[in-house]
Amino acid sequence: MSAPTASTVPLLRAQNLAKRFGGLMAVADISFDLYGGEILAVIGPNGAGKTTLLNLLSGLYRPTTGQLQLMGRDVTNLSMEERCHLGLGRAFQIVRPFPEMTVLENVTVGALFGKSGTSLGTARAQAWELLEFTGLSAHADKPAHELTLLQDKRLEVARALATQPKVLLLDEVMAGLRPGESQEAVELVRRVQAGGVSVLFIEHIMPVVRDLAHRVVVMDAGRVLAQGTYAQVVREPRVIEAYLGSEMSSEVGVEAEVASGAGH
Ligand SMILES: Nc1ncnc2c1ncn2[C@@H]1O[C@H](COP(=O)(O)OP(=O)(O)O)[C@@H](O)[C@H]1O
Ligand SMILES: [Mg+2]
């Protein structure tokens, strides 16, 4: 067997991750790989354990059992800050910038946080670039609390990118956006990936998953129900069953497929 090369070692490897809250296994057994340049979606019904999984990946929670590797290195017991320094960045489902600070200051904080030894001047220059990248430069001097929801989400992405991640973790960044706005957010994620950052995102808007994700991990009750391309996973009988009756079923065409499959 040949030694693994940079291209075959996954950026992120989750092995049998589990997280228990009292009597509840919120994440029971999750394994997946994320490769360089990939956009991976994590989907699943409410309560499936998606946010808990993201918290295990970012280091907010320590797993009850299981392992996490970043570029071949075991990071299971590293803090959120240590993981961030090694290249794991995240934007939170609930947007929480520093509300009284300006947009530029918020992103500058991210740049200072990501790399130790960065000067304030360098951090501010990086922040400016990221405001241009995320379309926020016209709002640089506004206090963060004056931003619209879409601008807030962009700020979250800019703050996470300021830490210079190799992997960006996103939890439902399209939540609450209007269709035109989610299209803009989709374009932003594409630009992030084109800039060399792998993306793992949680999303319940199925057209967004279909358009963005190279691969999809479907979770249910803390486990991986299926993984593969979007086209593969929406055809899996287990996935169809898990989504039956949910608001997502019509979006993934589940009812039509079940109906056409039932008669044969
Ligand atoms: N901090 C916590 N303490 C106790 N239970 C939790 C906690 N966080 C999540 N849970 C529970 O774990 C399960 C998975 O939650 P979550 O990861 O938020 O799912 P999802 O993001 O897929 O909707 C749910 O039953 C939820 O109530
Ligand atoms: Mg969630």
Side-chain angles (χ1 to χ4, degrees), residues 49-209:
K50 305 178 298 292
T51 296
T52 304
L53 173 65
L54 214 76
N55 289 334
L56 289 173
L57 300 179
S58 70
L60 187 65
Y61 297 154
R62 238 19 78 74
T64 307
T65 55
Q67 272 205 338
L68 185 70
Q69 288 181 2
L70 184 63
M71 293 173 289
R73 173 177 176 168
D74 188 337
V75 297
T76 315
N77 294 309
L78 297 189
S79 68
M80 195 149 69
E81 288 74 15
E82 289 167 317
R83 293 180 198 198
C84 182
H85 285 298
L86 291 173
L88 260 181
R90 86 169 281 182
F92 287 86
Q93 181 170 11
I94 302 159
V95 180
R96 46 192 132 167
F98 301 107
E100 301 305 327
M101 283 167 56
T102 68
V103 170
L104 178 66
E105 286 165 347
N106 265 280
V107 182
T108 304
V109 168
L112 285 171
F113 180 73
K115 275 260 157 68
S116 45
T118 302
S119 72
L120 185 59
T122 306
R124 281 177 68 94
Q126 285 169 352
W128 262 115
E129 269 179 46
L130 283 167
L131 292 187
E132 277 168 21
F133 182 77
T134 52
L136 284 175
S137 46
H139 309 287
D141 296 326
K142 271 190 192 167
H145 68 79
E146 287 182 16
L147 295 183
T148 65
L149 182 62
L150 174 63
Q151 291 165 348
D152 252 347
K153 305 226 169 199
R154 290 174 170 222
L155 175 57
E156 266 299 299
V157 172
R159 284 176 67 207
L161 287 176
T163 66
Q164 300 186 319
K166 297 182 174 66
V167 180
L168 180 64
L169 307 171
L170 303 173
D171 193 351
E172 301 210 24
V173 288
M174 318 285 173
L177 299 183
R178 293 189 296 269
E181 293 176 330
S182 23
Q183 193 48 44
E184 286 181 51
V186 163
E187 293 307 326
L188 177 58
V189 173
R190 286 219 179 94
R191 275 208 306 272
V192 168
Q193 184 262 347
V197 179
S198 297
V199 179
L200 184 153
F201 73 107
I202 294 175
E203 187 49 67
H204 73 276
I205 305 169
M206 296 308 278
V208 168
V209 175

Side-chain angles (χ1 to χ4, degrees), residues 204-225:
H204 73 276
I205 305 169
M206 296 308 278
V208 168
V209 175
R210 185 195 58 214
D211 291 350
L212 261 183
H214 299 127
R215 276 191 309 125
V216 179
V217 171
V218 187
M219 284 182 70
D220 188 33
R223 294 174 189 278
V224 176
L225 202 58

